[in-house]
Amino acid sequence: MAEQTASPVIRDSAPAKPDAAVVRDALGVGIAVGLSGFAFGVTSAGSGLSVLQTCVLSLLVFTGASQFALVGALAAGGNPFTAAAGAFFLGTRNAFYGLRLSQLLALPRAVRPFAAHWVIDETTAVALAQPSRRAARLGFTVTGLTLYVLWNATTLLGALGAEALGDTAAWGLDAAGPAVFLALLAPMLKSATERATAGIAVLLGLGLLPVLPAGVPVLAAALAAPTVLWLQGRRRTAPAGREKDSR
């Protein structure tokens, strides 16, 4: 996780949330998304990777979208270096998550290298949804631990039973992660600006999917935020400009 560059956002004065509720939510996310490791195991085995290679990917990379991008590109006959580059760029979003979580969680320095391995979409969403630092730490830890253990276990089972499971699309397991993340994100989109940013990001991601390499559309979707901010700036300066002209 990144070093702290600003004063941490302390929210411990917020209304307390019972630990049991935090654990329940974290377990729900960890279990729901962890089961999609089956889909990755099957997909990876189908792309030609061995069971050992598949399991090492899940153990060391542990960011589902990047893993799927890598094996998907390999399965389509792509160059291994190009596939790895696409997966790498897709995984860079976790670095931005780390910048935010380093301030929110304020973990001890010795723990940060280990916690950084669990900075992914789901742990970030659960941590940011909590009302206090204590709840955020608990949600992050329970989600990360549950998801890491279950994802790796189901990856192994999926790779071993690839032929028995058959087409993962028929199971719908590959949609579990995005569905859970959207369910966590939706209640946090309270303002018009946030909803507009999310909408533009979806349009960019889906629109560029057919024309850009795997992983790049997700990064391009990040342009939604500066686009909305730029439009807001123009809207605020326009009335001021008209006011000057009328004088």
Side-chain angles (χ1 to χ4, degrees), residues 1-127:
M1 218 179 276
E3 292 287 336
Q4 286 181 247
T5 57
S7 299
V9 179
I10 300 175
R11 298 188 294 171
D12 287 328
S13 59
K17 183 175 181 179
D19 289 352
V22 178
V23 171
R24 180 196 61 217
D25 295 344
L27 285 175
V29 173
I31 292 172
V33 179
L35 290 175
S36 60
F38 279 117
F40 172 70
V42 173
T43 304
S44 180
S47 69
L49 271 67
S50 68
V51 173
L52 178 60
Q53 290 171 323
T54 298
C55 291
V56 168
L57 263 178
S58 280
L59 285 167
L60 300 183
V61 178
F62 187 54
T63 172
S66 296
Q67 293 177 231
F68 274 111
L70 175 63
V71 299
L74 292 176
N79 182 285
F81 294 103
T82 303
F88 171 79
F89 283 116
L90 181 56
T92 56
R93 71 193 188 284
N94 294 339
F96 296 100
Y97 294 160
L99 291 173
R100 180 66 182 90
L101 290 180
S102 67
Q103 298 179 358
L104 174 62
L105 301 179
L107 296 172
R109 191 178 298 273
V111 177
R112 291 180 191 176
F114 302 98
H117 195 48
W118 287 356
V119 176
I120 54 176
D121 297 333
E122 293 76 20
T123 55
T124 301
V126 171

Side-chain angles (χ1 to χ4, degrees), residues 157-235:
L157 293 176
L160 291 174
E163 293 184 3
L165 282 175
D167 183 13
T168 57
W171 292 71
L173 294 175
D174 53 339
V180 170
F181 186 72
L182 288 175
L184 288 166
L185 177 65
M188 302 173 70
L189 303 177
K190 298 177 180 178
S191 69
T193 300
E194 292 168 345
R195 289 191 290 270
T197 303
I200 294 174
V202 170
L203 291 176
L204 284 173
L206 294 179
L208 297 174
L209 194 60
V211 296
L212 292 180
V216 178
V218 175
L219 296 177
L223 295 173
T227 300
V228 171
L229 292 175
W230 178 76
L231 291 173
Q232 280 190 328
R234 284 182 59 87
R235 185 181 301 175

